[in-house]
Amino acid sequence: MYQAIWIDNDDQGYRAALTTLATTQLPDAPVSVKVLYSALNYKDALAISGRAPVIRHFPMVPGIDFVGEVTASADPRWKAGDQVIVTGYGVGESHPGGLAQRAAVSGDWLAPLPDALTPLMAIAVGTAGLTAMLCVMALERQGITPQSGEVLVTGASGGVGSFATLLLARAGYHVAAVSGRSENHAYLCDTLGASRVLPREMFSQPAKPLAREQWAAAIDTAGSHTLSNVLAGTVRNGVVAACGMAQGLDLPTSVAPFILRGVTLCGVDSVMCPMPLRLQAWQRLAGVLTPDLTTQIAEVIPLSQAICTADQLLNGKIRGRRVVDCQRVDE
């Protein structure tokens, strides 16, 4: 038997609860894992609340990322005792995910835990940090360097935004962090390394086709009007990496930034990211991040608090990351 967050949607309605399951209810997959830590991502919060159709079929265990220890494997690449990381591949959406004490997955989805990262550090990074690093790498592939100019990060107080700000600052970039809460100024500048903080209201209204050129590049986690304003203010031949839709899936913009300034818009997908690129990103993360990361960005909660914390996350009351200790279930 094991504990899990269990989401169902039937004639009794949409509901999520902490539930006791039998190991016979695990999916038929070659690698069994004892889940040490999962994380509460924005997508997980949407799944738990039912505010967006994240779950592909029911019932489902949410949790789009987790770190754990292999307990049994029919895949020769993995053996009992291996410490592994899982992010994406439909885990927590179409395949039971990490907000549980046990999981069973394909060996193709596993990445080895880098030597420089503890399990807690790895999941504090999780999907958010991996996505942020993939965004940084996307900017680099387009020729962006610290000498190119300022880099804007939207949603900078959230999971992906926090890591993007931190990674860019540690790489020597000047970062303009966008946040909706003035009390986050010290966190963004003193903890994460942002050079300045811009109010979210600057980006939330409909954008003009073009605005004053300000930033050489940007990482956007919001979409919608925010991304439109980001594109409008990007300098000639600048680059924007888009990886989120916190404000919306729409993009009410024009072709002006692309044909008049040569701006490049790069989409970043961490869910089905090819494994070689994924492993490269994990190795770079392991080389940059330090043990104090956990206390700076992440707060650890028990599995039993995942549901109530999801509501706080969706209502903008969470700063940084929430790591779920899946083996700890407090009353």
Side-chain angles (χ1 to χ4, degrees):
M1 309 298 288
Y2 66 99
Q3 297 282 299
I5 303 298
W6 188 251
I7 299 176
D8 210 345
N9 187 18
D10 53 23
D11 54 5
Q12 299 180 42
Y14 194 102
R15 59 197 184 281
L18 181 64
T19 305
T20 300
L21 301 176
T23 53
T24 54
Q25 293 175 268
L26 287 168
D28 183 15
V31 185
S32 298
V33 180
K34 176 184 178 181
V35 180
L36 301 176
Y37 299 101
S38 186
L40 197 64
N41 298 281
Y42 189 79
K43 186 180 284 187
D44 298 320
L46 289 173
I48 290 170
S49 69
R51 294 191 193 181
V54 172
I55 303 299
R56 308 295 175 81
H57 60 81
F58 297 90
M60 180 58 60
V61 175
I64 63 171
D65 54 17
F66 64 87
V67 61
E69 183 176 300
V70 174
T71 57
S73 176
D75 186 322
R77 293 172 294 179
W78 308 101
K79 64 183 186 302
D82 286 344
Q83 292 190 318
V84 294
I85 311 165
V86 179
T87 63
Y89 295 110
V91 169
E93 301 175 63
S94 56
H95 185 95
L99 287 172
Q101 296 177 324
R102 295 289 186 271
V105 295
S106 166
D108 293 337
W109 302 348
L110 302 176
L113 182 71
D115 292 338
L117 296 180
T118 66
L120 182 55
M121 286 175 64
I123 200 60
V125 175
T127 298
L130 178 66
T131 303
M133 179 56 83
L134 291 171
C135 287
V136 173
M137 292 165 64
L139 297 183
E140 292 173 346
R141 286 195 299 273
Q142 296 296 323
I144 298 298
T145 69
Q147 290 70 44
S148 300
E150 187 177 60
V151 180
L152 183 81
V153 177
T154 66
S157 300
V160 177
S162 289
F163 277 107
T165 302
L166 179 72
L167 292 171
L168 288 166
R170 290 191 176 184
Y173 290 87
H174 290 283
V175 182
V178 180
S179 176
R181 293 180 290 173
S182 58
E183 65 269 22
N184 286 335
H185 190 281
Y187 168 72
L188 293 168
C189 294
D190 300 338
T191 301
L192 301 184
S195 301
R196 62 172 178 149
V197 179
L198 300 177
R200 185 169 58 197
E201 291 73 21
M202 284 181 57
F203 302 86
S204 58
Q205 299 303 314
K208 297 178 180 179
L210 291 174
R212 180 171 63 89
E213 298 178 59
Q214 297 188 64
W215 34 85
I219 294 175
D220 176 64
T221 68
S224 193
H225 294 299
T226 296
L227 180 52
S228 301
N229 280 286
V230 170
L231 290 166
T234 302
V235 305
R236 188 172 302 278
N237 298 316
V239 183
V240 177
C243 64
M245 51 97 188
Q247 188 179 33
L249 283 168
D250 59 318
L251 181 56
T253 189
S254 72
V255 298
F258 311 113
I259 66 173
L260 297 181
R261 288 186 181 162
V263 172
T264 298
L265 176 61
C266 301
V268 174
D269 167 36
S270 65
V271 175
M272 301 304 293
C273 172
M275 186 57 73
L277 186 61
R278 189 183 295 259
L279 294 176
Q280 181 185 353
W282 274 114
Q283 288 303 319
R284 287 193 56 179
L285 285 163
V288 170
L289 301 173
T290 53
D292 60 353
L293 159 77
T294 303
T295 55
Q296 288 179 335
I297 293 182
E299 177 181 324
V300 182
I301 61 173
L303 183 61
S304 51
Q305 291 183 13
I307 294 175
C308 63
T309 306
D311 185 63
Q312 297 172 16
L313 178 59
L314 292 177
N315 289 326
K317 298 179 180 179
I318 299 294
R319 185 177 71 187
R321 292 273 282 167
R322 289 297 180 270
V323 169
V324 181
D325 184 342
C326 292
Q327 296 301 313
R328 177 181 154 207
V329 181
D330 294 345
E331 296 295 333

